[in-house]
């Protein structure tokens, strides 16, 4: 009996360290943030319990509504570009041609560059005085003067979205390339015998077989992009005029620059709830799609 009990509880004993580490790294900060969000907590002053007052204030705050809209544009634009570019490159690099290994390596380089280095590099490239991008656009005659990308409220968000696409498309490319290489070549050979065109092969073979992996890639990129902080903060700090102020930056500015810790923590809690709600909804819809219910 003791030996049987030992075998039964051995898996739980083995995963206990990982669960404890997860609790310390993930669950404790989350519970602490929830607690702080229920208090009127100002840096340097005693905290005061206010219940849900911070959350009520948030949803009547124009700055929060603006940040939510900016975050949605940022997420949709970034993920759409990353998936389209990454999937297209995966399809291209899945073919046989001279130098394919070299191109695979080169296309992966943006992903391995640290975020802060990528952000600082692109800030320099977008600089209107000595940046290469405004200089090239001016030399081509498309613009009569050098463009202020990161100082223009209408161009700052598209600029940082473009940088995010460049930085993270390689993740989509690598995962989708692995999915494409797992497809049996016999299926394509049979399709060619039946006279299928490349587009018909893509719709009937490639897309259905890579759809589960594509679902995972989109879900991960949505979650990571929705919670991005350092790339946008280093490039613009949310400016100009809140044009690139996503929710993570708003929470940071409120908590650590404005000193309103409770308000900033409440924004963080809402960000967490929105992320979880979206992920669960997306997973449920994808499951219904696979079962043919949609």
């Amino acid at each position: 009996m003791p030996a049987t009990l030992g075998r039964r509880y051995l898996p739980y004993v083995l995963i206990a360290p990982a669960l404890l580490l997860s609790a310390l790294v993930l669950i404790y900060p989350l519970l602490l943030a929830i607690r702080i969000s229920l208090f009127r907590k100002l840096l340097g002053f005693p905290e005061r319990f206010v219940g849900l007052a911070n959350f009520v204030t948030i949803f009547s705050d124009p700055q929060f509504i603006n940040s939510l809209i900016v975050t949605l544009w940022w997420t949709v634009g970034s993920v759409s570009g990353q998936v389209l570019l990454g999937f297209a490159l995966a399809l291209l690099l899945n073919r046989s041609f001279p130098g394919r290994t070299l191109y695979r390596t080169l296309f992966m380089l943006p992903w391995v560059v640290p975020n802060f280095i990528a952000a600082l590099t692109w800030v320099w490239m977008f600089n209107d005085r000595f940046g290469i991008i405004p200089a090239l656009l001016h030399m081509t005659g498309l613009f009569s003067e050098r463009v202020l990308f990161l100082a223009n409220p209408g161009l700052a968000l598209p600029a940082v979205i473009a940088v995010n696409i460049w930085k993270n498309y390689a993740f989509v490319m690598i995962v989708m390339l692995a999915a494409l290489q797992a497809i049996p070549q016999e299926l394509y050979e049979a399709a060619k015998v039946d006279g299928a065109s490349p587009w018909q092969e893509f719709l009937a073979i490639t897309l259905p077989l890579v759809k589960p992996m594509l679902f995972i890639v989109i879900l991960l990129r949505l979650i990571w992009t929705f919670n991005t902080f350092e790339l946008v903060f280093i490039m613009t700090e949310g400016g100009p005029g809140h044009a690139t102020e996503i929710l993570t930056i708003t929470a940071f500015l409120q908590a650590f620059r404005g000193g309103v810790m409770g308000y900033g923590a409440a924004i963080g809690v809402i960000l967490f709830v929105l992320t979880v709600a979206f992920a669960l909804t997306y997973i449920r819809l994808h499951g219904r799609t696979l079962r043919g219910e949609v």
Side-chain angles (χ1 to χ4, degrees):
M1 181 66 68
T4 303
L5 289 176
R7 287 193 298 269
R8 178 181 301 177
Y9 291 106
L10 179 60
Y12 300 100
V13 174
L14 293 177
I15 66 173
L19 292 177
L20 179 61
L21 181 62
S22 298
L24 292 175
V25 175
L26 300 175
I27 299 178
Y28 175 73
L30 174 62
L31 295 177
L32 182 61
I34 294 174
R35 179 193 177 278
I36 295 175
S37 69
L38 301 177
F39 286 79
R40 185 79 69 188
K41 186 176 179 63
L42 303 176
L43 289 177
F45 294 90
E47 62 183 19
R48 179 168 59 88
F49 180 77
V50 294
L52 299 178
N54 287 322
F55 296 93
V56 175
T57 304
I58 283 175
F59 288 104
S60 60
D61 184 1
Q63 184 176 348
F64 173 81
I65 302 301
N66 173 77
S67 297
L68 181 60
I69 295 173
V70 171
T71 303
L72 293 177
W73 280 111
W74 156 260
T75 303
V76 173
S78 297
V79 175
S80 299
Q82 292 166 16
V83 171
L84 291 175
L85 180 58
F87 197 9
L89 288 174
L91 291 170
L92 177 63
L93 296 176
N94 192 45
R95 298 177 176 272
S96 297
F97 57 88
R100 182 177 64 173
T101 303
L102 175 62
Y103 283 107
R104 287 179 177 178
T105 304
L106 292 176
F107 281 126
M108 286 193 300
L109 289 179
W111 191 42
V112 301
V113 177
N115 280 338
F116 74 95
I117 294 179
L120 292 175
T121 302
W122 280 94
V123 167
W124 174 81
M125 293 174 65
F126 279 130
N127 188 279
D128 62 297
R129 292 185 178 180
F130 48 80
I132 187 172
I133 295 178
L136 289 176
L137 292 176
H138 179 62
M139 290 171 58
T140 58
L142 295 176
F143 298 91
S144 59
E145 55 185 14
R146 298 196 176 193
V147 182
L148 302 172
F149 282 97
L150 301 182
N152 188 319
L155 296 176
L157 184 59
V160 294
I161 288 176
V163 174
N164 195 33
I165 293 173
W166 171 85
K167 179 69 180 67
N168 294 293
Y169 76 84
F171 173 81
V172 180
M173 181 192 73
I174 295 170
V175 177
M176 296 313 300
L177 182 58
L180 290 171
Q181 292 180 336
I183 300 176
Q185 292 301 311
E186 293 80 3
L187 297 177
Y188 294 106
E189 294 172 0
K192 286 183 173 63
V193 172
D194 293 337
S197 65
W199 179 245
Q200 290 173 328
E201 292 179 5
F202 175 78
L203 293 179
I205 300 175
T206 305
L207 191 58
L209 293 180
V210 301
K211 185 182 294 184
M213 189 59 67
L214 184 61
F215 154 75
I216 295 174
V217 167
I218 294 175
L219 178 60
L220 290 176
R221 289 312 314 160
L222 283 170
I223 293 175
W224 293 340
T225 304
F226 195 71
N227 291 277
T228 298
F229 172 77
E230 67 273 16
L231 185 68
V232 183
F233 186 79
I234 293 173
M235 292 188 67
T236 65
E237 295 192 14
H242 308 291
T244 61
E245 188 174 309
I246 55 179
L247 287 174
T248 52
I249 293 180
T250 301
F252 173 82
L253 294 177
Q254 291 289 341
F256 296 102
R257 288 195 177 177
V260 193
M261 297 293 295
Y263 192 81
I267 296 177
V269 172
I270 292 176
L271 187 62
F272 170 77
V273 171
L274 290 175
T275 303
V276 172
F278 171 79
L280 293 177
T281 303
Y282 184 66
I283 292 173
R284 182 176 180 181
L285 290 176
H286 179 71
R288 293 176 58 189
T289 301
L290 292 181
R291 293 192 299 269
E293 298 178 13
V294 176

